[in-house]
Amino acid sequence: MILDGKAVSDRIIEGLKEELAKRGSKPYLAVILVGNDPASRVYVRNKKKKAEYIGVKTDIFEYPDDVDESVILNKIDELNNNSEITAILVQMPLPAHISKEKVICKISPQKDVDCFTPENVGRLSAGLEPYFYPATPQGVLMLLDAYNIEVEGKHAVVIGRSNIVGKPMAQMLLRRNATVTICHSKTKNLEDIIKTADIVVSAVGKKIVRCKMVCKKSVVIDVGIYRDSNGNLTGDVDFNEVEPVVEYITPVPGGVGPMTIASLMCNIVKS
C-alpha cells in the first residue's frame, strides 16, 4: 500500500483551519529570510501561503546576503520580546558569515517551531517534552498513525544521522517503544541490517534502498528528495523495485514532504 502523505496532510490542514476559525486569538508567525537563494524563497513562500490559508498571521523579514550578523541576532531578540509573535522561523541556509549556531541559540525555545534550539533538542534527547517536535520526524509518525501502523515493539532502522531528521527520528521512535538502529555512511553490512527492519526510514539524499535490501511486511519511509540526472524528483528508495515487495511505502513526491508541512503547521498552531 502506498502511504498518501498528501491526502493525510490535506485532512490535517483542513482540521487546523477549522480549529483556528473557532479561536479568538490566532498564532503569529515571523519568518527571517536572508539572501536570494531561489529554493529558500520557494520554501518561504509555500510556508507563508499554507500558514495564511489556515488563519495564521505571517510576516517575512527579508535581508540582503551581506547583512551583518548582529542585525539578524538583534531582530531575533526583538521577535522574542514581542508578545504578539508566537512562532519564529529562520530559513536555512544562511550566508557563510552568519553563524547558524548563534542564530539558532538566539531563538526562544517557546517560539522555536522548527525544534532547532539546544533546549528543545536537549529535552527531546532527555526524554522530556520539548516545546515542539521536529517537523519531518513528527510528520512521519503522524503518517504512520493515519494508517494505524504500529511502532511499539517494532525494529526501526533509520538511515542517516542528521540533526534535522536522523537523530530526532531515532529519539521519537524510541519514545514510541520501537527498537532503533541508526545507520550512516560508515555502517558496515548495511544491507543485512535493513533486511531485519520492520520500519525503514531513509534520509540521506541519495539512492540507497533497493529491492534486495527489504523484506515483506516492511514499512519503507522515504524522506530523501532531490532531482535526478533527468531533472525528475526522486528519493532514497528505488520505488519501482521496492514497492511490489513491501507492505507499505511512501512515494516521492507526495509522501513525507506534505507531512512535513502539515507537522510544521501543527507546531505553529500549538505556539
Side-chain angles (χ1 to χ4, degrees), residues 141-204:
L141 292 178
M142 290 164 65
L143 184 58
L144 294 176
D145 290 343
Y147 283 87
N148 297 312
I149 297 171
E150 185 60 62
V151 173
E152 184 171 329
K154 299 295 181 65
H155 179 208
V157 171
V158 178
I159 310 171
R161 52 181 169 178
S162 71
N163 291 330
I164 296 175
V165 180
K167 292 176 183 176
M169 186 79 256
Q171 293 286 348
M172 292 168 71
L173 286 165
L174 280 172
R175 289 170 77 100
R176 292 285 196 96
N177 296 317
T179 299
V180 182
T181 301
I182 303 177
C183 298
H184 46 78
S185 60
K186 305 300 182 185
T187 299
K188 297 180 179 179
N189 303 318
L190 178 64
E191 180 178 331
D192 293 336
I193 294 171
I194 296 175
K195 280 181 178 177
T196 68
D198 300 302
I199 300 170
V200 179
V201 182
S202 185
V204 293

Short mmCIF file of all heavy atoms in Angstrom, two decimals, residues 141-204:
data_model
loop_
_atom_site.label_atom_id
_atom_site.label_comp_id
_atom_site.label_asym_id
_atom_site.label_seq_id
_atom_site.Cartn_x
_atom_site.Cartn_y
_atom_site.Cartn_z
N LEU A 141 5.66 10.17 11.88
CA LEU A 141 4.85 9.45 12.86
C LEU A 141 3.35 9.73 12.66
O LEU A 141 2.52 8.83 12.84
CB LEU A 141 5.28 9.84 14.27
CG LEU A 141 6.67 9.35 14.68
CD1 LEU A 141 7.02 9.83 16.09
CD2 LEU A 141 6.77 7.84 14.62
N MET A 142 3.01 10.95 12.28
CA MET A 142 1.61 11.27 12.00
C MET A 142 1.09 10.45 10.82
O MET A 142 -0.07 10.01 10.81
CB MET A 142 1.47 12.77 11.73
CG MET A 142 1.69 13.64 12.95
SD MET A 142 1.97 15.40 12.55
CE MET A 142 0.41 15.87 11.85
N LEU A 143 1.95 10.23 9.84
CA LEU A 143 1.55 9.44 8.68
C LEU A 143 1.36 7.97 9.07
O LEU A 143 0.38 7.33 8.65
CB LEU A 143 2.61 9.56 7.58
CG LEU A 143 2.31 8.87 6.24
CD1 LEU A 143 1.02 9.37 5.63
CD2 LEU A 143 3.48 9.07 5.27
N LEU A 144 2.27 7.44 9.87
CA LEU A 144 2.11 6.06 10.35
C LEU A 144 0.83 5.91 11.16
O LEU A 144 0.09 4.93 11.01
CB LEU A 144 3.32 5.66 11.19
CG LEU A 144 4.67 5.56 10.47
CD1 LEU A 144 5.79 5.25 11.46
CD2 LEU A 144 4.65 4.52 9.37
N ASP A 145 0.55 6.90 12.00
CA ASP A 145 -0.67 6.84 12.82
C ASP A 145 -1.92 6.87 11.95
O ASP A 145 -2.91 6.20 12.25
CB ASP A 145 -0.69 8.01 13.79
CG ASP A 145 0.34 7.90 14.90
OD1 ASP A 145 0.85 6.78 15.12
OD2 ASP A 145 0.65 8.92 15.54
N ALA A 146 -1.87 7.66 10.87
CA ALA A 146 -3.04 7.79 10.00
C ALA A 146 -3.40 6.46 9.36
O ALA A 146 -4.57 6.21 9.04
CB ALA A 146 -2.77 8.84 8.92
N TYR A 147 -2.41 5.60 9.17
CA TYR A 147 -2.65 4.28 8.58
C TYR A 147 -2.65 3.16 9.63
O TYR A 147 -2.59 1.98 9.28
CB TYR A 147 -1.60 3.99 7.50
CG TYR A 147 -1.87 4.73 6.20
CD1 TYR A 147 -1.41 6.02 6.00
CD2 TYR A 147 -2.61 4.13 5.18
CE1 TYR A 147 -1.67 6.70 4.81
CE2 TYR A 147 -2.87 4.79 3.99
CZ TYR A 147 -2.40 6.08 3.81
OH TYR A 147 -2.65 6.76 2.64
N ASN A 148 -2.70 3.57 10.89
CA ASN A 148 -2.75 2.61 12.01
C ASN A 148 -1.59 1.61 11.97
O ASN A 148 -1.76 0.42 12.24
CB ASN A 148 -4.09 1.85 12.00
CG ASN A 148 -5.27 2.76 12.22
OD1 ASN A 148 -5.26 3.59 13.14
ND2 ASN A 148 -6.28 2.65 11.37
N ILE A 149 -0.41 2.11 11.63
CA ILE A 149 0.78 1.27 11.61
C ILE A 149 1.45 1.33 12.98
O ILE A 149 1.86 2.40 13.43
CB ILE A 149 1.76 1.74 10.51
CG1 ILE A 149 1.09 1.58 9.13
CG2 ILE A 149 3.06 0.95 10.57
CD1 ILE A 149 1.88 2.19 7.99
N GLU A 150 1.54 0.20 13.63
CA GLU A 150 2.07 0.12 14.99
C GLU A 150 3.58 0.30 14.99
O GLU A 150 4.29 -0.24 14.14
CB GLU A 150 1.71 -1.23 15.62
CG GLU A 150 2.10 -1.36 17.07
CD GLU A 150 1.43 -0.33 17.95
OE1 GLU A 150 0.19 -0.33 18.03
OE2 GLU A 150 2.17 0.48 18.54
N VAL A 151 4.07 1.07 15.94
CA VAL A 151 5.51 1.31 16.09
C VAL A 151 6.07 0.53 17.28
O VAL A 151 7.18 0.01 17.23
CB VAL A 151 5.79 2.82 16.25
CG1 VAL A 151 7.25 3.07 16.59
CG2 VAL A 151 5.39 3.57 14.98
N GLU A 152 5.30 0.45 18.34
CA GLU A 152 5.77 -0.19 19.57
C GLU A 152 6.19 -1.64 19.31
O GLU A 152 5.47 -2.42 18.67
CB GLU A 152 4.67 -0.15 20.62
CG GLU A 152 5.10 -0.73 21.96
CD GLU A 152 4.09 -0.48 23.06
OE1 GLU A 152 3.39 0.56 23.00
OE2 GLU A 152 4.00 -1.33 23.96
N GLY A 153 7.39 -1.96 19.79
CA GLY A 153 7.91 -3.31 19.67
C GLY A 153 8.53 -3.65 18.33
O GLY A 153 9.11 -4.73 18.17
N LYS A 154 8.45 -2.73 17.37
CA LYS A 154 8.99 -2.99 16.04
C LYS A 154 10.47 -2.59 15.98
O LYS A 154 10.95 -1.75 16.75
CB LYS A 154 8.21 -2.19 14.99
CG LYS A 154 6.73 -2.54 14.92
CD LYS A 154 6.52 -3.96 14.46
CE LYS A 154 5.04 -4.32 14.37
NZ LYS A 154 4.31 -3.55 13.35
N HIS A 155 11.19 -3.23 15.04
CA HIS A 155 12.58 -2.84 14.80
C HIS A 155 12.59 -1.78 13.71
O HIS A 155 12.21 -2.05 12.56
CB HIS A 155 13.42 -4.04 14.36
CG HIS A 155 14.85 -3.68 14.08
ND1 HIS A 155 15.64 -4.39 13.20
CD2 HIS A 155 15.64 -2.69 14.57
CE1 HIS A 155 16.84 -3.85 13.15
NE2 HIS A 155 16.86 -2.82 13.97
N ALA A 156 13.01 -0.58 14.06
CA ALA A 156 13.08 0.54 13.12
C ALA A 156 14.53 0.84 12.78
O ALA A 156 15.36 1.01 13.68
CB ALA A 156 12.41 1.77 13.70
N VAL A 157 14.84 0.89 11.51
CA VAL A 157 16.17 1.26 11.05
C VAL A 157 16.10 2.66 10.43
O VAL A 157 15.34 2.88 9.47
CB VAL A 157 16.71 0.25 10.01
CG1 VAL A 157 18.01 0.77 9.38
CG2 VAL A 157 16.96 -1.10 10.67
N VAL A 158 16.86 3.58 11.00
CA VAL A 158 16.94 4.95 10.49
C VAL A 158 18.26 5.10 9.75
O VAL A 158 19.33 4.88 10.32
CB VAL A 158 16.85 5.98 11.64
CG1 VAL A 158 16.99 7.40 11.10
CG2 VAL A 158 15.54 5.81 12.40
N ILE A 159 18.18 5.44 8.48
CA ILE A 159 19.38 5.63 7.67
C ILE A 159 19.64 7.13 7.56
O ILE A 159 18.86 7.86 6.95
CB ILE A 159 19.22 5.01 6.27
CG1 ILE A 159 18.72 3.57 6.37
CG2 ILE A 159 20.55 5.05 5.52
CD1 ILE A 159 18.34 2.96 5.04
N GLY A 160 20.73 7.57 8.16
CA GLY A 160 21.06 9.00 8.21
C GLY A 160 21.09 9.47 9.64
O GLY A 160 20.28 9.03 10.48
N ARG A 161 22.01 10.37 9.96
CA ARG A 161 22.18 10.84 11.34
C ARG A 161 22.20 12.36 11.43
O ARG A 161 22.89 12.94 12.27
CB ARG A 161 23.46 10.25 11.93
CG ARG A 161 24.70 10.47 11.08
CD ARG A 161 25.93 9.86 11.70
NE ARG A 161 27.05 9.84 10.77
CZ ARG A 161 28.26 9.40 11.07
NH1 ARG A 161 28.51 8.93 12.28
NH2 ARG A 161 29.22 9.37 10.16
N SER A 162 21.46 13.03 10.55
CA SER A 162 21.42 14.50 10.56
C SER A 162 20.69 14.98 11.82
O SER A 162 19.88 14.26 12.42
CB SER A 162 20.71 15.03 9.32
OG SER A 162 19.32 14.77 9.40
N ASN A 163 20.97 16.22 12.19
CA ASN A 163 20.31 16.82 13.34
C ASN A 163 18.85 17.15 13.05
O ASN A 163 18.04 17.29 13.97
CB ASN A 163 21.04 18.10 13.77
CG ASN A 163 22.41 17.81 14.36
OD1 ASN A 163 22.63 16.76 14.95
ND2 ASN A 163 23.34 18.74 14.19
N ILE A 164 18.52 17.28 11.76
CA ILE A 164 17.17 17.67 11.38
C ILE A 164 16.23 16.48 11.29
O ILE A 164 15.07 16.56 11.69
CB ILE A 164 17.19 18.43 10.03
CG1 ILE A 164 17.98 19.74 10.18
CG2 ILE A 164 15.77 18.72 9.54
CD1 ILE A 164 18.16 20.48 8.87
N VAL A 165 16.73 15.33 10.79
CA VAL A 165 15.86 14.17 10.61
C VAL A 165 16.36 12.94 11.35
O VAL A 165 15.68 12.40 12.23
CB VAL A 165 15.68 13.83 9.10
CG1 VAL A 165 14.75 12.62 8.96
CG2 VAL A 165 15.13 15.02 8.34
N GLY A 166 17.55 12.46 11.02
CA GLY A 166 18.01 11.17 11.52
C GLY A 166 18.01 11.03 13.03
O GLY A 166 17.38 10.10 13.58
N LYS A 167 18.70 11.93 13.71
CA LYS A 167 18.80 11.82 15.17
C LYS A 167 17.45 11.99 15.86
O LYS A 167 17.07 11.17 16.71
CB LYS A 167 19.83 12.82 15.70
CG LYS A 167 21.26 12.49 15.30
CD LYS A 167 22.22 13.57 15.79
CE LYS A 167 23.65 13.31 15.33
NZ LYS A 167 24.57 14.41 15.70
N PRO A 168 16.69 13.07 15.55
CA PRO A 168 15.39 13.19 16.23
C PRO A 168 14.41 12.09 15.85
O PRO A 168 13.59 11.68 16.67
CB PRO A 168 14.88 14.57 15.79
CG PRO A 168 15.67 14.92 14.57
CD PRO A 168 16.99 14.27 14.74
N MET A 169 14.51 11.57 14.62
CA MET A 169 13.63 10.46 14.23
C MET A 169 13.88 9.25 15.12
O MET A 169 12.94 8.60 15.59
CB MET A 169 13.89 10.10 12.77
CG MET A 169 12.94 9.06 12.20
SD MET A 169 11.33 9.73 11.72
CE MET A 169 10.28 9.18 13.06
N ALA A 170 15.15 8.96 15.36
CA ALA A 170 15.50 7.83 16.22
C ALA A 170 14.97 8.05 17.63
O ALA A 170 14.41 7.13 18.25
CB ALA A 170 17.02 7.64 16.24
N GLN A 171 15.13 9.27 18.15
CA GLN A 171 14.65 9.57 19.50
C GLN A 171 13.14 9.42 19.61
O GLN A 171 12.62 8.87 20.59
CB GLN A 171 15.05 11.01 19.88
CG GLN A 171 16.53 11.24 20.04
CD GLN A 171 17.08 10.62 21.32
OE1 GLN A 171 16.33 10.22 22.20
NE2 GLN A 171 18.40 10.55 21.42
N MET A 172 12.44 9.88 18.58
CA MET A 172 10.98 9.85 18.64
C MET A 172 10.43 8.43 18.46
O MET A 172 9.40 8.07 19.02
CB MET A 172 10.40 10.82 17.62
CG MET A 172 10.69 12.27 18.00
SD MET A 172 10.35 13.48 16.71
CE MET A 172 8.57 13.46 16.70
N LEU A 173 11.13 7.61 17.68
CA LEU A 173 10.76 6.19 17.57
C LEU A 173 11.00 5.47 18.89
O LEU A 173 10.20 4.62 19.31
CB LEU A 173 11.54 5.53 16.44
CG LEU A 173 11.09 5.89 15.02
CD1 LEU A 173 12.14 5.49 14.00
CD2 LEU A 173 9.75 5.23 14.69
N LEU A 174 12.10 5.81 19.56
CA LEU A 174 12.37 5.23 20.88
C LEU A 174 11.27 5.59 21.88
O LEU A 174 10.86 4.77 22.70
CB LEU A 174 13.72 5.73 21.41
CG LEU A 174 14.97 5.05 20.88
CD1 LEU A 174 16.21 5.80 21.34
CD2 LEU A 174 15.04 3.59 21.32
N ARG A 175 10.78 6.83 21.80
CA ARG A 175 9.71 7.27 22.69
C ARG A 175 8.44 6.46 22.45
O ARG A 175 7.60 6.34 23.33
CB ARG A 175 9.42 8.76 22.48
CG ARG A 175 10.51 9.68 23.00
CD ARG A 175 10.28 11.11 22.56
NE ARG A 175 9.25 11.76 23.33
CZ ARG A 175 9.47 12.60 24.34
NH1 ARG A 175 10.71 12.87 24.71
NH2 ARG A 175 8.48 13.16 24.98
N ARG A 176 8.31 5.93 21.23
CA ARG A 176 7.15 5.09 20.89
C ARG A 176 7.44 3.61 21.17
O ARG A 176 6.70 2.74 20.75
CB ARG A 176 6.79 5.27 19.42
CG ARG A 176 6.26 6.64 19.04
CD ARG A 176 4.82 6.82 19.50
NE ARG A 176 4.20 7.94 18.84
CZ ARG A 176 3.42 7.85 17.75
NH1 ARG A 176 3.18 6.66 17.20
NH2 ARG A 176 2.88 8.92 17.22
N ASN A 177 8.55 3.33 21.84
CA ASN A 177 8.92 1.96 22.24
C ASN A 177 9.31 1.07 21.07
O ASN A 177 9.12 -0.15 21.12
CB ASN A 177 7.81 1.31 23.06
CG ASN A 177 7.55 2.02 24.37
OD1 ASN A 177 8.49 2.40 25.06
ND2 ASN A 177 6.30 2.24 24.69
N ALA A 178 9.85 1.66 20.02
CA ALA A 178 10.47 0.86 18.96
C ALA A 178 11.90 0.53 19.38
O ALA A 178 12.49 1.21 20.23
CB ALA A 178 10.48 1.63 17.65
N THR A 179 12.44 -0.53 18.78
CA THR A 179 13.87 -0.83 18.92
C THR A 179 14.55 -0.22 17.71
O THR A 179 14.23 -0.55 16.57
CB THR A 179 14.12 -2.35 18.95
OG1 THR A 179 13.44 -2.90 20.08
CG2 THR A 179 15.59 -2.66 19.03
N VAL A 180 15.49 0.70 17.95
CA VAL A 180 16.00 1.55 16.87
C VAL A 180 17.47 1.29 16.58
O VAL A 180 18.30 1.21 17.49
CB VAL A 180 15.81 3.05 17.22
CG1 VAL A 180 16.31 3.92 16.07
CG2 VAL A 180 14.35 3.35 17.52
N THR A 181 17.78 1.15 15.30
CA THR A 181 19.15 1.08 14.81
C THR A 181 19.38 2.27 13.89
O THR A 181 18.57 2.52 12.99
CB THR A 181 19.41 -0.22 14.02
OG1 THR A 181 19.15 -1.34 14.86
CG2 THR A 181 20.85 -0.27 13.52
N ILE A 182 20.47 3.01 14.12
CA ILE A 182 20.84 4.13 13.25
C ILE A 182 21.98 3.70 12.35
O ILE A 182 23.02 3.23 12.83
CB ILE A 182 21.26 5.38 14.06
CG1 ILE A 182 20.13 5.80 15.01
CG2 ILE A 182 21.62 6.52 13.12
CD1 ILE A 182 20.51 6.99 15.88
N CYS A 183 21.80 3.86 11.04
CA CYS A 183 22.84 3.55 10.07
C CYS A 183 23.31 4.85 9.40
O CYS A 183 22.56 5.82 9.31
CB CYS A 183 22.32 2.59 9.01
SG CYS A 183 21.82 0.98 9.67
N HIS A 184 24.56 4.82 8.92
CA HIS A 184 25.13 6.02 8.30
C HIS A 184 26.23 5.60 7.33
O HIS A 184 26.37 4.41 7.01
CB HIS A 184 25.66 6.98 9.37
CG HIS A 184 26.48 6.30 10.42
ND1 HIS A 184 27.79 5.92 10.21
CD2 HIS A 184 26.15 5.91 11.67
CE1 HIS A 184 28.25 5.35 11.30
NE2 HIS A 184 27.28 5.32 12.20
N SER A 185 26.99 6.58 6.85
CA SER A 185 27.96 6.31 5.79
C SER A 185 29.06 5.34 6.21
O SER A 185 29.70 4.72 5.35
CB SER A 185 28.59 7.63 5.32
OG SER A 185 29.26 8.28 6.40
N LYS A 186 29.31 5.19 7.50
CA LYS A 186 30.35 4.29 7.98
C LYS A 186 29.82 2.94 8.45
O LYS A 186 30.57 2.09 8.93
CB LYS A 186 31.14 4.95 9.12
CG LYS A 186 31.73 6.31 8.79
CD LYS A 186 32.71 6.25 7.63
CE LYS A 186 33.31 7.64 7.37
NZ LYS A 186 34.18 7.63 6.17
N THR A 187 28.53 2.72 8.31
CA THR A 187 27.92 1.46 8.76
C THR A 187 28.35 0.30 7.87
O THR A 187 28.27 0.40 6.64
CB THR A 187 26.39 1.57 8.76
OG1 THR A 187 25.99 2.62 9.66
CG2 THR A 187 25.75 0.26 9.21
N LYS A 188 28.78 -0.77 8.50
CA LYS A 188 29.13 -1.98 7.75
C LYS A 188 27.90 -2.89 7.68
O LYS A 188 27.05 -2.89 8.56
CB LYS A 188 30.29 -2.70 8.42
CG LYS A 188 31.58 -1.88 8.44
CD LYS A 188 32.71 -2.64 9.13
CE LYS A 188 33.99 -1.82 9.13
NZ LYS A 188 35.11 -2.53 9.81
N ASN A 189 27.84 -3.67 6.59
CA ASN A 189 26.74 -4.63 6.41
C ASN A 189 25.37 -3.95 6.43
O ASN A 189 24.42 -4.46 7.04
CB ASN A 189 26.79 -5.72 7.47
CG ASN A 189 28.11 -6.46 7.49
OD1 ASN A 189 28.67 -6.78 6.44
ND2 ASN A 189 28.63 -6.71 8.69
N LEU A 190 25.29 -2.81 5.74
CA LEU A 190 24.04 -2.04 5.72
C LEU A 190 22.88 -2.88 5.21
O LEU A 190 21.78 -2.87 5.79
CB LEU A 190 24.22 -0.79 4.85
CG LEU A 190 22.98 0.10 4.68
CD1 LEU A 190 22.56 0.69 6.01
CD2 LEU A 190 23.27 1.22 3.67
N GLU A 191 23.12 -3.63 4.14
CA GLU A 191 22.05 -4.44 3.55
C GLU A 191 21.51 -5.44 4.55
O GLU A 191 20.28 -5.63 4.68
CB GLU A 191 22.57 -5.16 2.31
CG GLU A 191 21.54 -6.02 1.61
CD GLU A 191 22.07 -6.68 0.36
OE1 GLU A 191 22.99 -6.10 -0.28
OE2 GLU A 191 21.58 -7.77 0.01
N ASP A 192 22.37 -6.11 5.30
CA ASP A 192 21.95 -7.11 6.27
C ASP A 192 21.12 -6.47 7.39
O ASP A 192 20.16 -7.08 7.89
CB ASP A 192 23.15 -7.83 6.87
CG ASP A 192 23.89 -8.68 5.85
OD1 ASP A 192 23.25 -9.08 4.85
OD2 ASP A 192 25.08 -8.95 6.05
N ILE A 193 21.49 -5.27 7.78
CA ILE A 193 20.77 -4.59 8.86
C ILE A 193 19.37 -4.20 8.40
O ILE A 193 18.38 -4.40 9.11
CB ILE A 193 21.55 -3.35 9.34
CG1 ILE A 193 22.87 -3.78 10.00
CG2 ILE A 193 20.71 -2.51 10.32
CD1 ILE A 193 23.80 -2.64 10.32
N ILE A 194 19.29 -3.63 7.19
CA ILE A 194 17.99 -3.19 6.68
C ILE A 194 17.04 -4.36 6.52
O ILE A 194 15.84 -4.24 6.75
CB ILE A 194 18.17 -2.43 5.35
CG1 ILE A 194 18.96 -1.14 5.57
CG2 ILE A 194 16.82 -2.11 4.72
CD1 ILE A 194 19.29 -0.38 4.30
N LYS A 195 17.56 -5.51 6.16
CA LYS A 195 16.72 -6.70 5.98
C LYS A 195 16.01 -7.10 7.27
O LYS A 195 14.99 -7.80 7.23
CB LYS A 195 17.56 -7.86 5.47
CG LYS A 195 17.85 -7.82 3.98
CD LYS A 195 18.67 -9.03 3.57
CE LYS A 195 18.94 -9.03 2.07
NZ LYS A 195 19.80 -10.17 1.66
N THR A 196 16.54 -6.71 8.42
CA THR A 196 15.93 -7.08 9.70
C THR A 196 14.86 -6.09 10.15
O THR A 196 14.23 -6.30 11.19
CB THR A 196 17.00 -7.18 10.80
OG1 THR A 196 17.52 -5.86 11.09
CG2 THR A 196 18.15 -8.09 10.39
N ALA A 197 14.66 -5.03 9.38
CA ALA A 197 13.81 -3.93 9.82
C ALA A 197 12.33 -4.18 9.55
O ALA A 197 11.96 -4.65 8.47
CB ALA A 197 14.23 -2.63 9.15
N ASP A 198 11.51 -3.81 10.53
CA ASP A 198 10.06 -3.72 10.30
C ASP A 198 9.72 -2.38 9.67
O ASP A 198 8.80 -2.28 8.85
CB ASP A 198 9.31 -3.86 11.63
CG ASP A 198 9.58 -5.17 12.33
OD1 ASP A 198 9.33 -6.23 11.71
OD2 ASP A 198 10.07 -5.15 13.47
N ILE A 199 10.46 -1.35 10.10
CA ILE A 199 10.25 0.01 9.59
C ILE A 199 11.60 0.56 9.15
O ILE A 199 12.58 0.51 9.91
CB ILE A 199 9.65 0.93 10.68
CG1 ILE A 199 8.29 0.39 11.14
CG2 ILE A 199 9.51 2.36 10.16
CD1 ILE A 199 7.74 1.10 12.37
N VAL A 200 11.66 1.07 7.93
CA VAL A 200 12.88 1.70 7.40
C VAL A 200 12.57 3.17 7.14
O VAL A 200 11.61 3.49 6.43
CB VAL A 200 13.35 1.03 6.10
CG1 VAL A 200 14.60 1.74 5.56
CG2 VAL A 200 13.62 -0.45 6.30
N VAL A 201 13.38 4.05 7.71
CA VAL A 201 13.26 5.49 7.44
C VAL A 201 14.59 5.93 6.85
O VAL A 201 15.62 5.91 7.53
CB VAL A 201 12.95 6.30 8.71
CG1 VAL A 201 12.79 7.78 8.36
CG2 VAL A 201 11.69 5.78 9.39
N SER A 202 14.58 6.33 5.57
CA SER A 202 15.83 6.73 4.92
C SER A 202 15.84 8.23 4.66
O SER A 202 14.91 8.78 4.07
CB SER A 202 16.00 5.98 3.59
OG SER A 202 17.26 6.28 3.02
N ALA A 203 16.92 8.89 5.12
CA ALA A 203 17.04 10.35 4.99
C ALA A 203 18.48 10.73 4.70
O ALA A 203 19.15 11.35 5.52
CB ALA A 203 16.54 11.03 6.26
N VAL A 204 18.98 10.32 3.53
CA VAL A 204 20.38 10.60 3.20
C VAL A 204 20.55 11.42 1.92
O VAL A 204 21.60 11.99 1.68
CB VAL A 204 21.22 9.31 3.08
CG1 VAL A 204 21.33 8.63 4.43
CG2 VAL A 204 20.63 8.35 2.06
#
